[in-house]
Amino acid sequence: MTEPNDLITSATPYALHALPDDERDQIDRWLSVGAAEQTLSFTQEVRATRETMAALAASTAVEPPARLRPRLLKIVARDIQRDSGAIDINRWRAPLIAVAAATAIGLAAAGIGTILRPPPPTAQQVFTATDVRTVTGDIPTGGTATVVYSRQKNTAVLVMNNVAPPQPGTVYQMWLIGDSGPESAGTMDAQAVAPSTTAVIPRLNDSTALAFTVEKGQGSASPTGPIIAKLPLNQ
């Protein structure tokens, strides 16, 4: 259960609807009676995360295939004709949902170089997975990193809030740590690190942690610097 002094670290999973209902209810109660400064900081963190997710969805949305529209219209017209004017909603709800889903969050992650290897699940599929988990930790250079992940989907969503950009000539590099050693999960340069940055990390496989290092140039095939932060990915 989230404690009041840990409220700000719960802002990102709260914004992503990745908390159990009882924890969300507890946070809502604290916000209604908490100190104004703490409530404002929490609200700002939630807004920044949701704005980033909205930008991610808009930047990666895709148009549905042109063939879907005439197929959908045929299904609706057939139901109207067959049922003498009564449309069978259940028969064409699925195609409608498919069209909506195709225009929602895409498969790319904003600002991440090699982090995407298609075709991973979308962020929304991770958030709604039955086994979704969340872990949050501090970044020594400032700010926090939150990982929302699903073993069923074999995918994680990384959200970084208020993290200072890496120094010129360096990048933050993410590593999935498993039995076979660290595997690069992508890099972030200074331009990619915004006040709130979101990325999709596919292929978690047997990894037990997501680690961060600072690397020179465009990154490294293996960590060359010390691990500055490490978030456990419990099985």
Side-chain angles (χ1 to χ4, degrees), residues 10-19 24 27-28 31 42 46 50:
S10 300
T12 296
Y14 180 95
L16 300 177
H17 302 283
L19 290 175
R24 289 184 61 86
I27 288 174
D28 289 337
L31 291 175
F42 180 88
V46 169
R50 288 177 174 169

Side-chain angles (χ1 to χ4, degrees), residues 14 39 61 75 121 142 170:
Y14 180 95
T39 300
I75 293 172
T170 67

Side-chain angles (χ1 to χ4, degrees), residues 115-133:
I115 204 165
L116 271 186
R117 302 169 188 144
T122 65
Q124 186 61 34
Q125 288 175 308
V126 175
F127 299 154
T128 57
T130 57
D131 68 331
V132 65
R133 295 190 179 188

